[in-house]
Amino acid sequence: MRMRPTLSWTPDADLPPGTTDPAPVAEALDAGGVLVLSGAGISTESGIPDYRGEGGSLSRHTPMTYQDFTGSAAARRRYWARSHLGWRTFGRARPNAGHRSVAAFGARGLLTGVITQNVDGLHQAAGSENVVELHGSLDRVVCLTCGAFSPRRELARRLEAANPGFEPVAAGINPDGDADLTDDQVGDFRVVPCAVCGGVLKPDVVFFGEAVPPARVEHCRELVRGAASLLVLGSSLTVMSGLRFVRQAARAGTPVLIVNRDPTRGDREAVTRVALPLGAALTTVATRLGIPAADPVTN
């Protein structure tokens, strides 16, 4: 069953306040068995804006929904034009101190895994292993007709060939890799079909209004069941795809800790919310644990 898109959430006035002390996060990591759940906020310091923070992309941009993408050839043309342009910038993003800290925690055996709501691949680029991409990844493409997968770089080459001279200037890039373009800039952009069967191509990501594959959800639930604590990094938890794991942990008595500058929809279930920038907070935690996290981690 497809989810109804949830794009916004208004914090209640009586939410518990955040703190600027990351000590509880350091203590949880020092004890080990931590499962990380990350959102768009962990990638903002890599130049990828989040959805709902200060200057978030939802203030200027409505993400593509699954229903629009599958129901309209014009919507698919707009999406692929904007995504093709955005991919050039998105693909150049590099892991920041937050991603490197998470990778360092994992390398020290303090984590049981990472569930990320992001589609940018930056956790893996930083060296993290056991990463579950809850919403998929932009570096893969899937055919909705025959189910064939292909690399995004291959599609990029085909789109370049089909649209020579396509070089509009985007107003911004969004967390889903979508660039902000006007209809005039999209123009008559040509979409290419599946190279196997001629069907409709879609990025291997979960759009708003689309359900996360059940097997993936169950795998994440199993990770939550096996964790000593759940550490949420840079997510407002507005959408149920991530919030359900916070609620699952809280019901089981598993401590939930959140690092996010703004209030989140999961604050009531958390034992603490650290209201600090992620890079600085996680670097401080790494230093307290004696873990050098400033340098990139290699596999």
Side-chain angles (χ1 to χ4, degrees):
M1 184 175 68
R2 293 170 187 161
M3 299 179 299
R4 182 180 180 183
T6 300
L7 300 183
S8 62
W9 165 75
T10 302
D12 297 331
D14 60 344
L15 279 177
T19 178
T20 57
D21 181 9
V25 175
E27 292 168 3
L29 283 163
D30 192 39
V34 176
L35 175 62
V36 166
L37 171 63
S38 70
I42 199 171
S43 293
T44 56
E45 293 174 37
S46 292
I48 299 174
D50 62 13
Y51 285 109
R52 300 172 182 85
E54 184 178 351
S57 68
L58 286 182
S59 63
R60 65 176 191 280
H61 162 79
T62 300
M64 177 64 67
T65 67
Y66 181 82
Q67 291 76 15
D68 287 343
F69 185 89
T70 57
S72 167
R76 290 193 292 274
R77 181 169 59 252
R78 287 194 301 272
Y79 175 82
W80 280 120
R82 298 187 309 211
S83 185
H84 178 55
L85 182 64
W87 172 251
R88 301 173 187 174
T89 300
F90 206 78
R92 291 194 294 267
R94 294 294 177 263
N96 61 53
H99 298 108
R100 295 195 297 270
S101 295
V102 170
F105 300 149
R108 289 294 183 96
L110 306 180
L111 306 181
T112 60
V114 177
I115 301 170
T116 184
Q117 297 174 280
N118 300 337
V119 296
D120 52 36
L122 292 179
H123 277 299
Q124 295 92 321
S128 284
E129 299 179 347
N130 301 320
V131 178
V132 179
E133 294 173 314
L134 186 63
H135 295 154
S137 175
L138 277 177
D139 67 2
R140 298 184 301 271
V141 180
V142 62
C143 175
L144 294 180
T145 304
C146 71
F149 289 90
S150 56
R152 179 61 180 266
R153 61 181 180 275
E154 177 183 309
L155 176 63
R157 287 194 294 267
R158 295 179 63 203
L159 289 174
E160 291 280 359
N163 298 276
F166 183 72
E167 296 286 346
V169 177
I173 304 295
N174 304 302
D176 52 7
D178 196 3
D180 290 328
L181 296 178
T182 65
D183 288 344
D184 286 341
Q185 288 176 305
V186 170
D188 57 356
F189 185 87
R190 290 185 58 199
V191 178
V192 299
C194 172
V196 176
C197 74
V200 172
L201 292 176
K202 172 183 174 291
D204 188 25
V205 300
V206 177
F207 283 161
F208 281 88
E210 182 180 7
V212 178
R216 193 179 302 165
V217 173
E218 181 53 35
H219 177 47
C220 292
R221 289 195 182 280
E222 184 63 30
L223 289 174
V224 174
R225 284 192 285 268
S229 60
L230 178 64
L231 176 59
V232 180
L233 303 176
S235 176
S236 67
L237 299 170
T238 296
V239 295
M240 189 56 66
S241 64
L243 179 62
R244 59 183 153 197
F245 302 124
V246 168
R247 290 179 172 174
Q248 176 191 345
R251 286 195 301 268
T254 303
V256 175
L257 303 95
I258 299 173
V259 183
N260 200 66
R261 293 183 68 172
D262 299 318
T264 82
R265 197 176 171 193
D267 282 5
R268 294 194 190 282
E269 284 77 28
V271 296
T272 188
R273 177 176 63 85
V274 179
L276 289 173
L278 269 165
L282 294 183
T283 299
T284 297
V285 168
T287 299
R288 291 188 181 187
L289 297 176
I291 300 175
D295 297 325
V297 177
T298 57
N299 287 325

